[in-house]
Amino acid sequence: MPARRTNDALRVPKGLKILPQRQALALAKDAEIGGLGIDWSVQPAVLDDVGLQEWVRLSEVYAHDATRFREGERAAITAYCSWWSAFAAAAADVRDRGPVVEGRSDMDRGRTVKNPATVAMREASQQLRYWARELGLTTDARVRIGLADSSDDSADDDNPFS
């Protein structure tokens, strides 16, 4: 969604830090490419309860940073939350039934086999690592894309309220 225009001039979007108008307008113009900050209140209908809980958790973690994620990243965040839900379901099954279960096929009757949920867990964890890296949710990913952690005292030197 492009920045709104008023009398053919860009309007500074809500949520940007207090910046000089020229710098804020430049950021607003740049936001036209990926959209403005994501509207976390619009929750994806495809997510189940566990996926929605992760969506809400992310919205709370990044509430202070209005443009950390853009509307253009909604699908990626939704995919991350979906894989989180798949991982949680598989992990719960392994927790409840264990890493080995009784075989169900004719060949496996009477013996134990690896719980199929361990395979689902492994696939989900691989996807979670991919999406976490893509979205910059890990320390390593943030360093690679040049995002400073909030523990860095110099990060807020330009914030007049810190």
Side-chain angles (χ1 to χ4, degrees):
M1 171 185 319
R4 295 187 182 142
R5 295 185 182 272
T6 308
N7 296 334
D8 211 29
L10 286 173
R11 201 174 89 209
V12 178
K14 289 184 196 176
L16 288 180
K17 283 183 164 183
I18 297 175
L19 298 172
Q21 186 173 9
R22 169 178 251 147
Q23 191 176 358
L25 291 175
L27 285 172
K29 184 163 179 51
D30 290 344
E32 290 181 8
I33 296 169
L36 297 175
I38 193 165
D39 182 356
W40 291 100
S41 68
V42 179
Q43 298 174 339
V46 299
L47 296 176
D48 62 9
D49 289 341
V50 175
L52 282 174
Q53 287 172 4
E54 182 64 2
W55 179 273
V56 169
R57 186 190 74 78
L58 288 173
S59 74
E60 291 168 354
V61 168
Y62 294 103
H64 70 282
D65 196 352
T67 56
R68 169 63 174 83
F69 294 107
R70 310 235 182 221
E71 280 297 333
E73 296 165 313
R74 178 175 291 277
I77 298 167
T78 302
Y80 172 82
C81 292
S82 294
W83 282 109
W84 170 254
S85 178
F87 178 83
D93 186 76
V94 171
R95 179 198 63 221
D96 295 343
R97 298 191 316 146
V100 292
V101 296
E102 284 189 36
R104 293 176 30 180
S105 71
D106 289 338
M107 289 178 50
D108 292 332
R109 289 208 198 284
R111 67 184 188 121
T112 57
V113 297
K114 181 168 46 170
N115 185 338
T118 60
V119 175
M121 233 171 103
R122 183 174 58 237
E123 172 69 16
S125 69
Q126 290 171 344
Q127 289 295 318
L128 281 171
R129 280 194 306 272
Y130 169 79
W131 287 112
R133 200 170 33 246
E134 185 73 17
L135 294 167
L137 298 177
T138 65
T139 303
D140 182 55
R142 286 188 299 276
V143 168
R144 272 195 240 146
I145 61 177
L147 291 176
D149 278 341
S150 59
S151 62
D152 182 5
D153 292 333
S154 64
D156 280 325
D157 285 348
D158 61 340
N159 184 347
F161 299 107
S162 63

